[in-house]
Amino acid sequence: MTLHDNPTREWAPTASDAASPNGDRWSGLIQHDRVHRTLYTDPAIFDEEMTKVFGGESWVYLAHESQLPEPNSFITARMGLRPVIVTRDRKGALHMIFNRCTHRAATICREESGTAKSFQCPYHGWTFRNTGELVGAPWPGAYGDDFDKSRFGLTVAAKVASYRGFIFGTMNPDAPELEDFLGHARPWLDYWIDRSPTGEVLVRSASYRMGFRGNWKLAYDNAGDGYHPAFSHRSLLEMASRMGDSKDMAYFGKTPDDGPMRVYSLGNGHSVIDQRPNYDGPGSFWANQRPQPGRERFEEHIRATYGEDADRLLDLTIGSQINLSIFPNLLVIGNQIQVVEPLAVDRTQLVWHATSIGGVPDEVNTMRMRTQEDFPAFGEPDDQANFEEAQRGLAAAESEWVYMNRGLDIGGWQSIDENGVVVAPVTDEIHMRGYYDEWRKRMRGDN
């Protein structure tokens, strides 16, 4: 078969092309340099990945432990399309239960968060412990003498685990241990957490929610993409130029390909953009940050009050200078946690959580919160406009492919670090190629 017999018409997979000899039906849709448009547009594929990628085969990020600060705390969340409640029981252990009454499927908990030893369904009054067991149903005699409450508890996660405060769940009892799943992403998450002098990260503020008319994978494509900022975020970068000094543009170097920033393909679908090589030691994060109202007075106060420790404290108010993507739904960007929530094949919600940290003066956390305001308000709308325009373009059935070939097979472009991780210039699309490898494994049911 020749892929380009007609140079104006690309190859489309047939039934025979779409399956490899070992029965992998995804081989025709995911190739080494491109993926088929139907991965973003086909409702049947979306339904299947909501079962297999979001919890049926994979670990999925649910919440942060600081959002459940005491015994009997709870927070509602999503595992793909599954509405769930993440709870602490009276002893402080973590659980994930479906927010769906066993009886007639109504949502049992209609608050975002709080404390509760049990949940009573507002529809018919069935009551469940915060660990999922059915406590009682009103007038149970009508269910017969053999009504066994143990059969009607809420569906629970096969596994729930926390890594340094980040709570994940899966419906797969044979899933690898969470630390193994995180793999090479763990040192990057450790770096992000350990910027706090006490290792304490707090997610206590209200979230910032934005929805777009597009497939969830468009957000994941973009999270590890260092190619787009000079174009998509031009207005934000120009706004950040103070007194003619284009500090935020400096990281691009002579060209984006030549700059010092790197992207790492971490395995298991994870990746990270490392912006830190652009900076020059203590105080440089702060010195290169976009302006905020009151910035100069704040810096004067910190330097006068904390002396030699001022550079370190000022840098802690600024983002971590990494964009860490943990497959399939957790993005750690700057000082923020972003959660990808698929709603339909062409609808997605992104939820931003600001963070504060322990072990620093209160005024440092106050400025840290201010520095987390600008990108969701000014940069994220740029990205979401692109996502919606991409989804609109994907409706053109005759143009079948989405390419991820930047940096592919270029000699000397990539390297391997001491951990065996592939490293490339920040504009390489290796992050897409890596996560689609994982996506295919989850859809095949590989453990």
Side-chain angles (χ1 to χ4, degrees):
M1 176 183 63
T2 302
L3 298 187
H4 297 286
D5 291 330
N6 180 347
T8 65
R9 177 73 164 83
E10 292 186 342
W11 170 71
T14 65
S16 60
D17 293 323
S20 66
N22 65 5
D24 177 9
R25 80 185 208 265
W26 304 109
S27 296
L29 302 179
I30 303 175
Q31 300 181 8
H32 73 294
D33 63 340
R34 58 187 183 170
V35 295
H36 199 261
R37 57 175 285 279
T38 52
L39 273 59
Y40 299 85
T41 62
D42 187 337
I45 291 177
F46 176 82
D47 289 345
E48 188 171 350
E49 67 186 359
M50 289 304 99
T51 300
K52 293 183 175 179
V53 174
F54 277 82
E57 299 292 339
S58 301
W59 287 97
V60 175
Y61 175 73
L62 300 173
H64 193 269
E65 285 200 46
S66 61
Q67 296 173 285
L68 297 98
E70 59 185 304
N72 296 317
S73 295
F74 72 85
I75 186 167
T76 55
R78 301 175 66 89
M79 178 186 277
L81 297 184
R82 306 169 185 87
V84 302
I85 315 171
V86 185
T87 69
R88 286 193 191 275
D89 62 24
R90 62 187 178 86
K91 296 181 179 180
L94 295 167
H95 304 266
M96 190 210 80
I97 58 179
F98 276 27
N99 195 3
R100 183 264 194 211
C101 184
T102 318
H103 174 223
R104 293 272 289 279
T107 301
I108 59 170
C109 179
R110 304 179 187 185
E111 301 292 331
E112 288 191 9
S113 61
T115 57
K117 295 179 181 178
S118 63
F119 300 98
Q120 184 177 77
C121 179
Y123 196 5
H124 296 101
W126 283 37
T127 302
F128 304 87
R129 290 193 181 94
N130 62 12
T131 52
E133 298 91 345
L134 177 63
V135 175
W139 311 296
Y143 294 106
D145 293 338
D146 61 348
F147 181 58
D148 182 357
K149 288 187 294 186
S150 68
R151 293 178 50 216
F152 294 96
L154 299 175
T155 303
V156 302
K159 291 184 177 182
V160 176
S162 175
Y163 181 77
R164 300 196 64 185
F166 286 78
I167 306 169
F168 295 77
T170 179
M171 301 306 297
N172 180 9
D174 298 320
E177 295 304 309
L178 176 59
E179 291 194 3
D180 294 332
F181 168 73
L182 293 173
H184 292 303
R186 285 171 50 201
W188 296 93
L189 196 54
D190 289 340
Y191 157 75
W192 188 83
I193 295 167
D194 289 335
R195 294 188 75 220
S196 164
T198 61
E200 181 183 25
V201 175
L202 301 172
V203 183
R204 296 282 175 84
S205 302
S207 57
Y208 186 70
R209 300 171 187 267
M210 301 179 71
F212 67 88
R213 294 179 295 251
N215 188 270
W216 69 273
K217 293 187 290 297
L218 294 168
Y220 209 84
D221 292 347
N222 187 74
D225 180 352
Y227 191 27
H228 75 281
F231 308 99
S232 297
H233 301 310
R234 189 178 300 277
S235 61
L236 179 62
L237 296 173
E238 289 176 353
M239 178 274 290
S241 299
R242 306 177 69 209
M243 305 295 288
D245 184 6
S246 300
K247 293 176 180 177
D248 275 21
M249 292 297 290
Y251 77 86
F252 286 113
K254 184 178 177 181
T255 73
D257 298 338
D258 298 328
M261 290 166 40
R262 291 291 179 267
V263 60
Y264 294 70
S265 182
L266 302 172
N268 296 341
H270 317 318
S271 64
V272 67
I273 287 178
D274 188 6
Q275 304 172 44
R276 296 173 302 172
N278 187 58
Y279 297 94
D280 299 323
S284 60
F285 287 7
W286 171 261
N288 287 281
Q289 173 65 11
R290 293 181 288 271
Q292 300 91 27
R295 173 189 172 94
E296 289 79 7
R297 292 282 299 274
F298 173 77
E299 181 174 359
E300 290 173 4
H301 165 73
I302 293 296
R303 293 197 181 282
T305 306
Y306 299 103
E308 293 181 357
D309 202 28
D311 279 345
R312 181 185 69 88
L313 293 174
L314 291 169
D315 274 357
L316 291 178
T317 70
I318 305 304
S320 59
Q321 310 306 325
I322 66 169
N323 289 16
L324 175 62
S325 302
I326 296 179
F327 185 80
N329 68 326
L330 173 61
L331 308 175
V332 179
I333 302 174
N335 286 335
Q336 293 165 296
I337 296 170
Q338 187 184 51
V339 184
V340 181
E341 294 187 348
L343 303 177
V345 67
D346 57 357
R347 288 180 55 231
T348 305
Q349 178 171 259
L350 300 180
V351 184
W352 290 79
H353 298 278
T355 67
S356 55
I357 57 176
V360 297
D362 288 344
E363 57 264 46
V364 170
N365 271 325
T366 298
M367 180 55 79
R368 182 182 171 100
M369 296 297 289
R370 293 303 306 270
T371 64
Q372 294 176 82
E373 293 172 348
D374 66 345
F375 192 82
F378 298 104
E380 185 65 14
D382 296 335
D383 289 333
Q384 295 203 13
N386 286 333
F387 303 160
E388 293 195 349
E389 294 304 321
Q391 192 73 30
R392 185 162 69 156
L394 287 161
E398 292 78 13
S399 185
E400 298 181 77
W401 296 100
V402 174
Y403 282 89
M404 50 186 186
N405 59 336
R406 185 169 179 82
L408 184 65
D409 299 329
I410 296 178
W413 178 267
Q414 299 174 353
S415 60
I416 307 293
D417 73 6
E418 64 276 9
N419 297 312
V421 171
V422 181
V423 187
V426 73
T427 56
D428 198 309
E429 289 166 341
I430 191 172
H431 68 288
M432 284 184 66
R433 300 190 292 272
Y435 97 76
Y436 266 114
D437 282 345
E438 183 69 13
W439 185 93
R440 176 164 45 192
K441 291 175 184 177
R442 299 306 106 210
M443 295 294 276
R444 288 190 313 213
D446 296 349
N447 288 324

